[in-house]
Amino acid sequence: MTKTIKSLQKKIAEKLSPISKEEASLESKIILSYILGIKENELFLFGKKKLSILQKIKLNIFLKKRLRGIPLYKIIGRKEFYNSEFITTKNVLDPRSETEILVDDIVSKNDKKKPLSILEFGVGSGCIMLSLLKHFKNAKGLGFDISKKAVKIANKNSNLLKVSDRFLLKNKSWNYLSDKDFDKDQKFDLIISNPPYIKSGDVKDLQLEVKKYDPMFALDGGNDGLNCYRDIAKVIKDLDLLSDSTGKIYLEIGGGQESDIEEIFSNNGFKLEETIKDFSDIIRILIFSK
C-alpha cells in the first residue's frame, strides 16, 4: 500500500536518524514540505494524502543526497532567516537561527524609520545586513566580502528581498581597505560582523558536513580563532569608521572568546557596552562603542 504523508514522515525520520539524530523528525517535516511545495506549518493538512510519482522520485533523490552527508539546506538551496528566505549554497554558511538574536537586538533598539548607515565585514549570504535593510526602510548598507561567489549570492538575495537599491557590496578583503573605499569622512551608525572564529587546530574536529560543505575561509579564524577580530578592530580604528556619539559595533563570537575580544577592541579604543547570550546561555554577541 502506498504510504500516506503522515506515515511517510515517520519513515523518513527513521532513515535520517543515523546522521541527524535528534533533528531527524524536524528534517523529515522540512523535506516533505519542500517536496510538496508547501510551508512546514501546513504539512498537517496533507497527512492523509499521498505523493505523486514525480514527488516520490524527487524525494528519493533528496534522501540519497542527505544520506551522503550533504546538509539539508544545501540541498534545498534556501533557508529562512528572520522571516525571509535566503539562497544558500556551498559557497556561504547557512543562516543560523542564533544569528537572529543579533538582528533582533538592533531592531528592538532603533526606530524603524531611522536612516541608519550600516557597514558589514564578511557578508556571506547577506542574511544579517539584508534583514536589517528590509526592516529599516531608510537604512543604507555597505559590505565587504573576500569571496566573489559569496558576493554573487548576497547580491541575489538583495534582489529577492528588494533592497538592492540600498545595498552596495564590494569583493575585497577588509585587510586592504583604505579611505578610497568609503565616501569622504563616512561614518557608520552600525558596524556588524560574524567573522570566522574557530581555531585552526579545531577545524578537524568539526562535523563532516560542515568541513566538507561549508567554505573553510568562513570558519577558520587562525591559531587562536581571533585573527579576524584583530583585523576588524584595527580597520575601524585606523579609518575612523564608527559614528562618535551613537555608533555601535555588533560582533558574533565563539563560546568563551568574550574576554579576549574585549581586550582586542579595548586596545583599539572601543568600550564594551553589552553582552548577549544565545539559546544555550553562552555569550554570543558583543556590543562596542567609542
Side-chain angles (χ1 to χ4, degrees):
M1 180 183 289
T2 305
K3 292 183 175 64
T4 62
I5 298 298
K6 187 175 181 179
S7 60
L8 192 56
Q9 182 183 324
K10 294 180 181 178
K11 190 68 176 178
I12 292 171
E14 290 174 5
K15 285 187 176 182
L16 293 176
S17 59
I19 61 168
S20 56
K21 298 178 182 178
E22 64 273 6
E23 297 294 323
S25 180
L26 175 61
E27 285 201 15
S28 68
K29 293 179 183 178
I30 295 170
I31 291 170
L32 281 171
S33 300
Y34 172 74
I35 297 299
L36 291 166
I38 61 173
K39 294 181 179 179
E40 290 167 44
N41 61 6
E42 297 174 333
L43 189 61
F44 76 97
L45 297 172
F46 291 75
K48 294 181 180 180
K49 295 184 180 294
K50 299 174 182 179
L51 294 183
S52 68
I53 294 174
L54 287 177
Q55 287 171 335
K56 288 178 184 177
I57 293 172
K58 192 174 182 180
L59 175 61
N60 286 333
I61 293 172
F62 196 115
L63 288 175
K64 284 180 181 178
K65 290 181 179 180
R66 185 68 187 102
L67 291 170
R68 290 207 311 268
I70 302 177
L72 179 67
Y73 292 105
K74 299 299 191 210
I75 304 172
I76 293 174
R78 296 195 180 202
K79 187 175 183 184
E80 187 172 308
F81 179 90
Y82 215 76
N83 300 319
S84 295
E85 265 202 342
F86 287 82
I87 297 170
T88 179
T89 72
K90 65 180 181 180
N91 300 308
V92 295
L93 297 179
D94 288 345
R96 297 186 310 128
S97 58
E98 287 187 332
T99 302
E100 292 182 344
I101 298 171
L102 187 155
V103 177
D104 202 46
D105 191 75
I106 294 173
V107 166
S108 68
K109 292 176 179 175
N110 292 275
D111 187 279
K112 193 172 184 178
K113 297 180 180 179
K114 192 173 182 179
L116 294 170
S117 56
I118 308 171
L119 171 64
E120 183 171 16
F121 294 111
V123 175
S125 68
C127 63
I128 301 176
M129 171 72 83
L130 301 180
S131 296
L132 291 172
L133 293 180
K134 182 180 177 182
H135 180 82
F136 297 103
K137 305 299 184 183
N138 296 315
K140 293 185 177 180
L142 171 63
F144 294 92
D145 201 290
I146 196 172
S147 167
K148 288 183 179 179
K149 292 178 179 178
V151 167
K152 187 175 180 179
I153 295 299
N155 279 326
K156 285 183 178 180
N157 282 327
S158 73
N159 287 323
L160 282 177
L161 271 67
K162 299 180 180 180
V163 297
S164 58
D165 59 325
R166 296 183 284 120
F167 176 54
L168 176 61
L169 178 54
K170 299 183 179 182
N171 177 212
K172 190 170 184 178
S173 168
W174 53 60
N175 289 317
Y176 299 101
L177 299 182
S178 69
D179 291 332
K180 295 179 181 179
D181 294 297
F182 303 90
D183 293 337
K184 186 177 180 181
D185 299 323
Q186 188 171 12
K187 308 280 187 183
F188 294 90
D189 301 304
L190 292 171
I191 299 178
I192 54 180
S193 187
N194 178 16
Y197 52 67
I198 298 171
K199 295 179 182 179
S200 298
D202 291 341
V203 170
K204 67 180 185 303
D205 299 321
L206 294 173
Q207 290 178 299
L208 180 61
E209 64 182 52
V210 174
K211 289 189 290 185
K212 191 172 181 180
Y213 296 104
D214 279 334
M216 192 54 59
F217 63 81
L219 300 169
D220 193 335
N223 288 336
D224 61 359
L226 303 173
N227 284 357
C228 294
Y229 298 99
R230 295 188 185 93
D231 296 339
I232 290 170
K234 187 175 187 304
V235 168
I236 297 173
K237 175 190 175 184
D238 290 351
L239 299 181
D240 195 18
L241 296 173
L242 187 66
S243 295
D244 292 332
S245 56
T246 60
K248 304 292 182 186
I249 302 169
Y250 275 75
L251 303 171
E252 186 165 336
I253 68 169
Q257 294 179 326
E258 59 271 13
S259 296
D260 291 329
I261 294 173
E262 180 181 3
E263 182 178 357
I264 289 169
F265 275 78
S266 176
N267 290 339
N268 281 277
F270 304 104
K271 60 182 178 181
L272 181 63
E273 291 273 330
E274 188 179 350
T275 64
I276 301 175
K277 293 182 178 180
D278 63 16
F279 304 127
S280 301
D281 206 34
I282 295 170
I283 293 176
R284 187 63 61 186
I285 297 164
L286 302 183
I287 306 173
F288 292 92
S289 63
K290 279 190 173 180

